[in-house]
Amino acid sequence: MDGKLRNMATVYLRKGDRMLLLYRQGGRVVNNVWTGSAGGHFEQNELNDAKACVLREMKEELRLSPEDVAGLSLRYITLRYTKGEIRQNYYFFAELKASMDENLVSNEGQCQWFSLAETQKLDMPFSARHMMDHYLAIGQYTDAVYVGTDSPQKMFFSELREF
């Protein structure tokens, strides 16, 4: 292993019991699957600030500012070794404010709102699928931050605690 890293941040927007997902098309790493509402790779100046990355991606892809959402928070960090690189994903969740038009359009693919139950049936990238399964079962009911590491069949999640 040569230590190559790929850092990415994603935001999942909710509005009540629904979640906005993106059918990503034309991506370099992720293509023709459902992903978070907006997300992408860190820019050089964002390497120590995942929130800055996700805010930039929200603005670029959905034309949303921090004032358009409530409760933006980091909830999951996953690590996966694949294709010769360590992929670090930072997953944020936020609520789209009631005053905002929910007919959002992305330049990265097709946006669509789903009930939380419907999200379980969608094709997603490996780490995102396992993160979402954990979120639906446990994460949506807590304020904790979870860390996930992979195995060939699943991810193992632990609560990240400060000490």
Side-chain angles (χ1 to χ4, degrees):
M1 178 170 29
D2 62 7
K4 185 175 178 181
L5 303 176
R6 183 180 298 270
N7 297 289
M8 297 164 282
T10 303
V11 63
Y12 286 78
L13 296 177
R14 287 186 61 168
K15 195 162 191 180
D17 64 350
R18 296 179 306 139
M19 185 172 289
L20 181 69
L21 296 177
L22 173 73
Y23 190 74
R24 188 167 291 274
Q25 298 166 308
R28 292 178 299 169
V29 176
V30 175
N31 199 24
N32 297 326
V33 291
W34 291 97
T35 65
S37 311
H41 296 88
F42 283 37
E43 298 290 338
Q44 186 68 30
N45 64 322
E46 297 166 340
L47 289 179
N48 292 316
D49 192 349
K51 187 174 183 180
C53 177
V54 87
L55 288 172
R56 176 184 52 76
E57 293 288 353
M58 273 181 23
K59 183 174 180 69
E60 288 177 3
E61 295 179 16
L62 297 171
R63 296 177 196 78
L64 292 176
S65 68
E67 294 77 26
D68 298 329
V69 299
L72 179 67
S73 61
L74 176 63
R75 298 299 313 286
Y76 288 87
I77 304 163
T78 62
L79 295 172
R80 180 176 183 211
Y81 180 61
T82 187
K83 298 180 182 176
E85 61 189 13
I86 298 170
R87 294 186 180 175
Q88 301 176 107
N89 287 282
Y90 297 83
Y91 297 102
F92 288 77
F93 285 77
E95 183 82 10
L96 185 65
K97 289 186 177 176
S99 61
M100 294 301 300
D101 182 0
E102 61 186 56
N103 296 312
L104 297 170
V105 176
S106 173
N107 60 357
E108 298 284 332
Q110 174 190 344
C111 291
Q112 186 172 333
W113 290 95
F114 293 94
S115 71
L116 294 180
E118 288 174 314
T119 65
Q120 294 177 308
K121 301 172 189 163
L122 300 174
D123 188 24
M124 296 180 178
F126 181 87
S127 297
R129 171 77 273 148
H130 291 284
M131 178 280 302
M132 183 61 72
D133 290 344
H134 187 275
Y135 175 80
L136 293 171
I138 297 169
Q140 69 174 320
Y141 305 110
T142 76
D143 290 330
V145 176
Y146 297 94
V147 176
T149 57
D150 74 337
S151 75
Q153 289 79 31
K154 68 180 280 185
M155 292 200 94
F156 297 92
F157 289 94
S158 301
E159 187 175 335
L160 182 64
R161 297 183 182 183
E162 186 174 357
F163 61 90

